[in-house]
Amino acid sequence: MTAKPNILVIGTGGTIAGRGKAAVNTSAYLCSVLGIDEVLDTIPQALALANLRSEQLLQTGSENFNNEHLLAIGKRVANVLARQDVDGVVITHGTDTIEETAYFLHLTLKSVKPVVVVGSMRPPSAMSSDAALNLYDAIAVAAHPSSRGIGTLVVANSEIHTARDVVKSNSFKLEAFRSPYGALGYVIEGVPRYYRRPSRAHTLDTPWSLDGLAGLPKVDIAYGYGALESDALASIAANARGLIFVGTGNGNVASHLLSTLREAARRGVHVVRASRTGNGIVLRNGTQPDDEYGWLTVDDQVPQKARLLLALALTQGCDTNTLQAAFERY
Ligand code: DGL
């Protein structure tokens, strides 16, 4: 019999650590109140999959996570992955920003060992909670050799998603996580089954590592609509090194906002056009002359992940062509 893998489960809070007054409270409950060991105690079956250790790194809703939280999680995970006695890591996390933490790890960790970020849409106390099965599945995925070398994963609702693509796309349903090109695979009865692999570069194939990284450049996001006033947009751009402008449709910019964004770019702010549709490609030099304005485009990335990608890219330089290449490669 082969030895069971050693999996570290890191708790950070969220609904998976939540508790409601009654079983009918599927959406109204307290978040981040159960310790990671209390959550793990609900799935003794997971001990058949792996040797488990746990630690409580944070205990807060993921809507509170800022760049410092991401760096703290990333540095801790990088640290434990370097240990011989750790074969994989599971991070329990609120679902609101799970895709951001997962993508940040996907771009910065330097290891082939599986890292799985998992949450739940209903707390363990609720009727038909997804907490126990999601966590069991996440441990199964982290413990399985087929999960090595494919970057950070998000497991939910029996699906395995790549951190690059997954987004939370529903506020309350169990079927909340969507990858525009589909999940990488499924988990069934404690065994992952993969049907495709991430095609964009990640982990060992990125230039970014968390070693010595003390902070991230300030990149902000502005949501575009016709009634957005130029002074409101200018104030968001005022102190940013980068600005993700979430335009309508194909990254369109209302005519009365063009001069504000062009002025920001002239001042050295890296302006990136994104789309508020949540799907599709924003084509460079498509609806706007990006080359002429010195603007960038996100390719197909959603604004919240484009923010992280640009922030990491800016840690290594600010040449426009190099920054644009990052959006095409990762
Ligand atoms: N407070 C939210 C969060 O931590 C709860 C959402 C959830 O975990 O499903 O992201």
Side-chain angles (χ1 to χ4, degrees), residues 14-16 29 31 60-63 93-97 120-121 168:
T15 296
I16 198 165
Y29 51 83
C31 254
T60 187
S62 66
E63 65 274 21
H93 197 290
T95 59
D96 284 8
T97 66
S120 71
M121 294 300 292
K168 182 175 182 177

Side-chain angles (χ1 to χ4, degrees), residues 161-162 164-166 178-185 196-197 199-200 278-281 299-301:
H161 294 266
T162 168
R164 181 190 185 272
D165 294 347
V166 70
R178 180 182 57 78
S179 292
Y181 315 107
L184 297 183
R196 29 182 231 103
R197 299 174 71 79
S199 68
R200 294 292 182 103
N279 258 306
I281 293 166
D299 188 5
D300 67 339
Q301 199 48 279

Side-chain angles (χ1 to χ4, degrees), residues 5-326:
N6 300 319
I7 303 297
L8 177 67
V9 184
I10 298 178
T12 72
T15 296
I16 198 165
R19 185 168 44 216
K21 286 201 181 107
V24 293
N25 293 127
T26 54
S27 284
Y29 51 83
L30 284 179
C31 254
S32 317
V33 289
L34 301 177
I36 188 60
D37 290 334
E38 289 175 277
V39 183
L40 278 171
D41 282 347
T42 65
I43 49 163
Q45 302 85 348
L47 291 170
L49 300 170
N51 303 314
L52 297 178
R53 269 180 298 154
S54 63
E55 68 178 48
Q56 191 79 50
L57 183 62
L58 301 168
Q59 183 66 306
T60 187
S62 66
E63 65 274 21
N64 301 319
F65 285 13
N66 57 26
N67 293 343
E68 284 67 45
H69 292 90
L70 292 181
L71 282 168
I73 295 172
K75 287 185 176 189
R76 181 61 190 149
V77 175
N79 200 277
V80 298
L81 286 176
R83 281 177 15 198
Q84 296 252 317
D85 62 345
V86 173
D87 298 307
V89 171
V90 171
I91 302 157
T92 60
H93 197 290
T95 59
D96 284 8
T97 66
I98 200 168
E99 67 230 39
E100 284 151 84
T101 301
Y103 188 49
F104 184 71
L105 299 176
H106 190 66
L107 293 176
T108 54
L109 294 175
K110 298 290 162 237
S111 173
V112 295
K113 294 179 185 175
V115 174
V116 181
V117 194
V118 64
S120 71
M121 294 300 292
R122 296 178 185 159
S125 52
M127 239 182 243
S128 290
S129 172
D130 51 338
L133 186 57
N134 281 357
L135 183 53
Y136 179 77
D137 284 349
I139 291 167
V141 169
H144 203 276
S146 61
S147 306
R148 288 171 64 89
I150 52 175
T152 302
L153 304 165
V154 171
V155 168
N157 206 29
S158 304
E159 292 181 336
I160 309 165
H161 294 266
T162 168
R164 181 190 185 272
D165 294 347
V166 70
V167 284
K168 182 175 182 177
S169 62
N170 191 282
S171 61
F172 79 100
K173 292 195 328 186
L174 299 191
E175 196 185 354
F177 294 91
R178 180 182 57 78
S179 292
Y181 315 107
L184 297 183
Y186 299 127
V187 204
I188 184 162
E189 301 261 334
V191 181
R193 293 173 190 230
Y194 289 98
Y195 300 95
R196 29 182 231 103
R197 299 174 71 79
S199 68
R200 294 292 182 103
H202 57 79
T203 52
L204 297 171
D205 292 328
T206 80
W208 308 300
S209 122
L210 297 168
D211 279 352
L213 190 62
L216 289 174
K218 184 170 163 56
V219 176
D220 286 314
I221 301 175
Y223 193 90
Y225 49 97
L228 175 62
E229 291 179 1
S230 52
D231 54 352
L233 180 59
S235 77
I236 298 173
N239 299 311
R241 290 211 35 221
L243 179 71
I244 311 296
F245 180 78
V246 189
T248 53
N250 187 6
N252 282 310
V253 183
S255 340
H256 70 282
L257 299 174
L258 280 174
S259 58
T260 310
L261 288 182
R262 292 191 66 185
E263 173 52 26
R266 273 193 288 269
R267 285 192 299 105
V269 180
H270 299 280
V271 173
V272 188
R273 288 193 301 121
S275 169
R276 67 181 206 184
T277 61
N279 258 306
I281 293 166
V282 175
L283 190 66
R284 190 169 168 80
N285 297 315
T287 62
Q288 293 292 336
D290 298 295
D291 282 345
E292 183 188 334
Y293 294 171
W295 293 354
L296 305 160
T297 50
V298 288
D299 188 5
D300 67 339
Q301 199 48 279
V302 294
Q304 62 273 30
K305 290 189 200 172
R307 180 185 83 85
L308 294 170
L309 180 54
L310 180 61
L312 284 167
L314 284 171
T315 64
Q316 305 234 321
C318 53
D319 171 65
T320 304
N321 291 333
T322 310
L323 295 174
Q324 184 62 58

